[in-house]
Amino acid sequence: MRNRNEYTYDVLVIGGGPAGIAAACAAAPHARVAIVDENPALGGQIWRNSFPARQSHPSGPWHNRLQQTQATRLHGLRVFDAPAFNTLHAEAPDGLHILRYNKLILATGARERFLPFPGWTLRNVIGAGGLQAMVKSGLPVAGKRIVVAGSGPLLLAVAAFLKSHGAQVVAVCEQAPPRQLAHFATSIVAYPSKISQAVQYRTQLAAVPYRIGWWPVTAHGKSQVESVTLTNGARRLTLDCDFLACGFHLVPNTELPALLGCSLHNGFVAVDSLQQASVPNVFCAGEITGIGGLDKSLIEGSIAGYASTGQNSPARKLFAKRNKALGFAAAMERAFAPRPELRRLPAPQTTVCRCEDVAHELLQQHDSWRSAKLHTRCGMGPCQGRVCGAATEFLYGWPGESIRPPILPVRFDTLAEAEKPTAQH
Amino acid sequence: MSSNCDAIVLGAGIVGAACAMELAHAGMSVTVVEPGVIGGGATAAGMGHIVVMDDSPAQLAFTHYSQQLWHVLAPQLPPAAEYETPGTIWVAADEVEMQEVARKQSIYVTRGLPVRVLDSHALLHEEPHLRPGLAGGLLVSSDAVLYPPVAADYLLQQALSSGASLIRQAALQAGEGKACLANGDILSSPRIINALGAAAPSLAPGLPVHPRKGHLVITDRAPGFVRHQLVELGYVRSAGSGTADSVAFNVQPRKTGQVLIGSSRQYNAHDKSVDHQILQRMMQQTRRYMPGIDKLSVLRTWTGFRAATPDKLPLIGPHPADPTLFLATGHEGLGITTALATGKLIRHILTGSGSEIPVEPYLPARAFHPTTETAHA
Ligand SMILES: Cc1cc2nc3c(=O)[nH]c(=O)nc-3n(C[C@H](O)[C@H](O)[C@H](O)COP(=O)(O)OP(=O)(O)OC[C@H]3O[C@@H](n4cnc5c(N)ncnc54)[C@H](O)[C@@H]3O)c2cc1C
Ligand SMILES: Cc1cc2nc3c(=O)[nH]c(=O)nc-3n(C[C@H](O)[C@H](O)[C@H](O)COP(=O)(O)OP(=O)(O)OC[C@H]3O[C@@H](n4cnc5c(N)ncnc54)[C@H](O)[C@@H]3O)c2cc1C
């Protein structure tokens, strides 16, 4: 029999994005620290495949800083359960890993929100961040016509990225009303780094139309998307494309904090000034406490890392910067809030739950997520509502259901806490 | 507000829904009271195995009768009820359990059930993912499987289309011809049926019904991995034990291609959360019978509460201390199977219509000891 993988750390960080990396860097000089991520490498969403990167890349200094610590990196481990006091279970290709901790820092990030509209399940209609990740893993897009639509600053980042990879970005369409966005643009004057980033994207996308107040209503095509019709409420416009990159801002990955019993507020984990959640010894940082982008994740991660090892004064030194980042996050939350018209996008037959193929008209008959789930199988497939949950919450106003282990699909023997026999020849 | 009807059914799990349907079909004006999702209680947690069981002659008569009712109803059920007849294989691990196979076979044959004894080889032929070396089994090909919450909703819709009405409220009190609801309304009726499942004692203090917690695990789609509902015969020992926590190998093929895995039984566990220790025991027991299950992907786990009675038979009929109060609870791990028969018996008791099986073994009076009776009279 193979040994079980069991570890104990003073500080265990879950999530290897900017927030988790910053937390590990801050805590590691004072404690035995491990940082865990499900991907083959650290970096999270924004630094995927660029950690390590060139020194000039923003991730460079963080990579060096982490290198200089003794922090253990555990890649390819998906945390799926919290079965006992101060214990997490994770799955890796070699089976179960048991992770024990004194302090836990959760930095599990965010995912894209998908909203259903006719044609959204066609091939090559892909999340904006999702398409970016596929290109980073080798999908060629040179010469492909791509419409980027939906909501959030991610659209511009992805459009600029796709263009730099040779794609022909046909248009970037942001659903937020122009007035709402203008207000946001004025408010970010307080955040010079954001402005320079926005200016940089706009320069890169000089020839690409940026249509504010436009949203997709139908994707057309036989087996894969061939064109998309967009509207601004008054006019319609159909654009030919090979890909539709479409996501409606981000929603936090709160399954693990919820499983641990952390209180949520408006869908995000509630934390105090030291990033402590309502459950003792649990700290949360980054997108799970509010969508705020890179700066907020790095600052909150640092505060959580310091606070988890009792370094309260360096933590406090970051409060002012964090408050600023929180102001930006709040402005962003208002600016990119989905407009009510998006609730009317799905046609009666439009699929809302892709795993179980459940149509809008079936779901409309229910008054709660649980009722819909039990009677239509919505959210019962492999994604367990991670995709359609955000859509049903927005479309029908249903809050999500209680969280139960496993929070991610996991092999039977891993959940059974079974020891695997060593390979026999 | 106060209103009057022929019968009030409290609870719209599969049992309450079946009672409401029968009474509405009998021409009664029926009001169903349910605060939650239809079939959202134990009905949503259960495995949906429509199974003939023979722990006692009364249980055998009841489960067999109800299964026949399901067979008749099956063509009318909506596709989402996922009704199928994969049959059950009672798996015997060793020669001692093969004797149980022989005993069971002789009983099932006398009731005309289609059964076949499988030897070790035939068992593996039917279920290639079982561990080699098991002694054999008994295949009962008439046993069925369905998806309980949709079936419950179908039964309730039948009641509603025959004139029943549904009130989305919790009942706070029931007895002496009145049901008081959470919103302050009082419903009056000479017949109030408590079909609250494991929660039945909350409106009928002193009722000898206790929650018996169970855990379930569901996998991702793996069509054909399991072909019949498979239950270890050791289950007879485990389910029979009145007090100790127990687990048994019990897996079910779903129409979706998923595998649903039971079963555990715990007393004195009132918390809905997943108990990792018993879950693990249950999964280890499953691996012992089906090593290949290791590689399937688990999507979800959950728990539910069976309404257990001391003699493992349901309580169906008048409450001994209140002539306006009727019980339809205590179905333990068989309430999906026996819901339709329960509806028939309630109809018989309330309307005097003929009954195809004797009601006596299920009447609640047997379970009330004289002391409890006076205490709550
Ligand atoms: C698809 C996508 C693409 C994005 N692209 C950009 C971009 O190009 N530019 C930009 O400025 N912003 C982008 N963002 C926004 C991004 O969320 C933030 O900029 C920043 O990366 C947030 O950092 P974080 O550390 O809070 O979370 P993340 O970077 O999201 O890191 C969280 C990490 O935790 C891991 N994780 C989560 N749950 C578990 C678990 N149970 N077990 C193990 N590991 C787990 C995740 O896989 C992830 O690696 C993107 C967001 C998304 C969703
Ligand atoms: C793990 C497990 C596996 C099982 N497997 C099987 C199987 O394979 N085959 C089988 O035949 N049986 C099985 N069972 C048993 C079966 O699920 C139950 O016997 C059956 O669901 C009982 O139905 P019910 O309507 O009596 O109870 P429930 O479904 O619990 O319904 C009771 C209803 O009453 C409502 N209620 C509660 N309080 C009030 C109130 N104050 N006022 C109004 N309404 C109220 C609840 O909301 C609920 O909807 C299993 C059970 C479990 C737990």
Side-chain angles (χ1 to χ4, degrees):
Chain A
M1 298 289 253
R2 185 182 284 183
N3 285 335
R4 281 209 294 207
N5 306 288
E6 293 197 43
Y7 326 85
T8 302
Y9 295 96
D10 301 327
V11 177
L12 182 65
V13 182
I14 308 301
I21 290 168
C25 287
H30 291 81
R32 264 172 49 77
V33 174
I35 178 165
V36 177
D37 196 283
E38 60 193 316
N39 295 292
L42 299 187
Q45 298 293 1
I46 183 170
W47 293 340
R48 185 186 299 276
N49 297 12
S50 57
F51 197 84
R54 298 180 313 276
Q55 193 52 42
S56 61
H57 190 276
S59 72
W62 289 97
H63 184 259
N64 291 345
R65 207 176 143 192
L66 189 65
Q67 283 291 87
Q68 283 155 21
T69 72
Q70 304 288 311
T72 306
R73 301 171 180 204
L74 300 169
H75 312 141
L77 256 64
R78 295 151 45 94
V79 176
F80 65 87
D81 197 0
F85 181 71
N86 283 16
T87 306
L88 298 181
H89 280 184
E91 175 170 61
D94 66 344
L96 176 67
H97 290 240
I98 299 172
L99 305 162
R100 298 207 175 80
Y101 57 85
N102 294 320
K103 308 277 176 185
L104 180 65
I105 301 178
L106 300 178
T108 48
R111 55 182 178 253
E112 286 181 273
R113 181 199 274 128
F114 296 106
L115 295 178
F117 52 88
W120 78 290
T121 53
L122 284 171
R123 201 142 59 86
N124 290 355
V125 180
I126 299 171
L131 182 59
Q132 173 174 258
M134 287 164 74
V135 172
K136 283 183 182 177
S137 319
L139 177 79
V141 287
K144 299 288 185 201
R145 296 161 305 166
I146 305 180
V147 173
V148 181
S151 198
L154 185 58
L155 300 186
L156 283 176
V158 170
F161 170 87
L162 293 171
K163 192 153 178 271
S164 74
H165 281 72
Q168 182 197 335
V169 179
V170 181
V172 180
C173 300
E174 166 60 57
Q175 61 85 31
R179 226 177 329 128
Q180 207 168 294
L181 216 59
H183 197 264
F184 176 64
T186 335
S187 72
I188 66 167
V189 172
Y191 315 97
S193 69
K194 302 289 175 190
I195 297 189
S196 65
Q197 195 184 36
V199 168
Q200 194 188 336
Y201 288 146
R202 289 304 298 140
T203 321
Q204 283 167 5
L205 293 168
V208 176
Y210 184 38
R211 295 180 174 273
I212 297 173
W214 286 77
W215 64 93
V217 287
T218 309
H220 313 274
K222 279 185 213 69
S223 65
Q224 64 181 58
V225 66
E226 289 161 17
S227 64
V228 53
T229 300
L230 301 126
T231 187
N232 65 353
R235 281 182 300 134
R236 286 191 169 220
L237 169 77
T238 297
L239 300 173
D240 291 341
C241 60
D242 303 306
F243 286 93
L244 171 58
C246 186
F248 292 85
H249 207 35
L250 305 177
V251 287
N253 295 322
T254 50
E255 289 79 8
L256 187 53
L259 183 71
L260 285 159
C262 300
S263 305
L264 304 186
H265 181 66
N266 292 333
F268 296 98
V269 187
V271 288
D272 68 8
S273 62
L274 291 169
Q275 302 296 136
Q276 297 188 83
S278 61
V279 172
N281 300 326
V282 178
F283 297 76
C284 293
E287 306 285 54
I288 55 171
T289 70
I291 304 300
L294 179 61
D295 293 349
K296 174 174 169 294
S297 289
L298 289 170
I299 299 163
E300 288 192 347
S302 301
I303 294 175
Y306 288 132
S308 68
T309 46
Q311 310 173 71
N312 287 1
S313 86
R316 285 206 183 87
K317 289 208 180 85
L318 291 168
F319 283 5
K321 272 173 96 178
R322 192 224 2 243
N323 290 347
K324 216 162 172 185
L326 288 177
F328 176 74
M332 196 150 75
E333 191 75 15
R334 285 190 296 274
F336 298 105
R339 56 168 70 228
E341 287 93 331
L342 301 178
R343 292 202 176 88
R344 298 196 290 271
L345 285 186
Q349 276 95 40
T350 303
T351 298
V352 174
C353 167
R354 291 180 85 150
C355 298
E356 296 292 331
D357 203 9
V358 184
H360 179 53
E361 60 187 349
L362 274 178
L363 294 172
Q364 279 175 303
Q365 300 165 16
H366 293 273
D367 56 9
S368 70
W369 171 245
R370 188 166 146 75
S371 172
K373 182 171 169 161
L374 286 179
H375 291 287
T376 69
R377 302 191 50 82
C378 178
M380 284 203 181
C383 99
Q384 286 288 300
R386 272 181 297 278
V387 176
C388 61
T392 56
E393 180 169 0
F394 173 70
L395 291 175
Y396 317 115
W398 300 337
E401 229 200 318
S402 64
I403 297 286
R404 252 168 277 149
I407 58 168
L408 299 162
V410 59
R411 267 176 62 123
F412 189 93
D413 48 4
T414 309
L415 187 62
E417 263 198 79
E419 295 179 30
K420 277 203 201 105
T422 35
Q424 285 164 10
H425 297 284
Chain B
M1 191 195 92
S2 171
S3 71
N4 223 310
C5 59
D6 294 335
I8 299 170
V9 177
L10 304 178
I14 198 158
V15 170
C19 293
M21 177 180 82
E22 284 299 333
L23 296 177
H25 284 173
M28 283 189 166
S29 61
V30 178
T31 302
V32 181
V33 177
E34 166 64 62
V37 176
I38 306 307
T43 299
M47 278 184 115
H49 186 201
I50 308 290
V51 56
V52 174
M53 294 269 285
D54 65 335
D55 290 354
S56 63
Q59 188 190 58
L60 178 64
F62 199 45
T63 52
H64 186 201
Y65 171 46
S66 204
Q67 184 180 76
Q68 289 169 322
L69 295 171
W70 279 114
H71 284 314
V72 171
L73 189 67
Q76 288 150 52
L77 291 173
E82 295 175 4
Y83 185 90
E84 277 192 322
T85 316
T88 303
I89 298 177
W90 298 92
V91 179
D94 52 29
E95 289 313 317
V96 176
E97 289 180 7
M98 276 312 272
Q99 289 168 18
E100 175 66 11
V101 164
R103 189 197 65 78
K104 224 175 169 56
Q105 183 214 17
S106 67
I107 292 178
Y108 282 35
V109 163
T110 45
R111 294 207 63 108
L113 288 160
V115 296
R116 181 154 68 90
V117 175
L118 307 174
D119 63 12
S120 185
H121 191 76
L123 179 64
L124 269 190
H125 179 76
E126 294 292 338
E127 292 291 345
H129 286 104
L130 278 174
R131 155 171 69 85
L134 294 164
L138 183 70
L139 169 60
V140 185
S141 48
S142 48
D143 284 350
V145 163
L146 56 63
Y147 179 57
V150 168
D153 190 49
Y154 171 81
L155 301 178
L156 183 70
Q157 295 309 322
Q158 297 308 298
L160 298 180
S161 54
S162 300
S165 59
L166 172 65
I167 297 181
R168 312 302 302 249
Q169 286 288 323
L172 302 181
Q173 247 187 328
E176 292 168 0
K178 285 188 180 53
C180 308
L181 308 189
N183 65 356
D185 288 359
I186 295 174
L187 307 179
S188 305
S189 174
R191 302 167 200 89
I192 302 175
I193 296 129
N194 177 332
L196 261 50
S202 67
L203 297 187
L207 198 64
V209 166
H210 297 283
R212 208 174 186 192
K213 184 172 174 178
H215 285 73
L216 290 176
V217 170
I218 192 136
T219 71
D220 202 352
R221 295 176 188 224
F225 186 83
V226 179
R227 300 168 182 174
H228 309 80
Q229 178 116 12
L230 303 178
V231 191
E232 66 164 290
L233 273 171
Y235 161 89
V236 179
R237 278 170 292 195
S238 107
S241 136
T243 47
D245 293 354
S246 62
V247 297
F249 170 64
N250 183 348
V251 299
Q252 177 181 86
R254 302 293 318 167
K255 204 170 188 175
T256 54
Q258 294 172 288
V259 183
L260 180 56
I261 299 147
S263 65
S264 70
R265 289 179 141 78
Q266 285 172 286
Y267 276 108
N268 300 319
H270 302 276
D271 178 358
K272 275 174 65 174
S273 64
V274 168
D275 174 337
H276 284 82
Q277 226 183 336
I278 194 113
L279 181 77
Q280 203 182 315
R281 268 178 66 194
M282 183 178 104
M283 294 180 78
Q284 297 287 8
Q285 181 72 349
T286 311
R287 303 173 71 228
R288 247 168 246 137
Y289 279 83
M290 256 194 161
I293 202 153
D294 272 356
K295 65 176 194 307
L296 298 194
S297 175
V298 170
L299 295 186
R300 203 170 171 80
T301 58
W302 66 88
T303 65
F305 294 96
R306 308 172 180 92
T309 61
D311 63 1
K312 299 178 65 193
L313 288 173
L315 303 171
I316 302 168
H319 190 290
D322 182 342
T324 66
L325 205 54
F326 296 80
L327 301 171
T329 181
H331 294 78
E332 224 272 335
L334 288 169
I336 309 300
T337 304
T338 56
L340 295 182
T342 302
K344 291 283 186 204
L345 290 194
I346 284 287
R347 178 176 180 168
H348 162 73
I349 291 164
L350 266 55
T351 69
S353 66
S355 175
E356 294 190 28
I357 59 168
V359 298
E360 287 70 24
Y362 321 104
L363 291 175
R366 73 180 195 281
F368 285 79
H369 304 297
T371 48
T372 13
E373 217 173 310
T374 42
H376 295 283

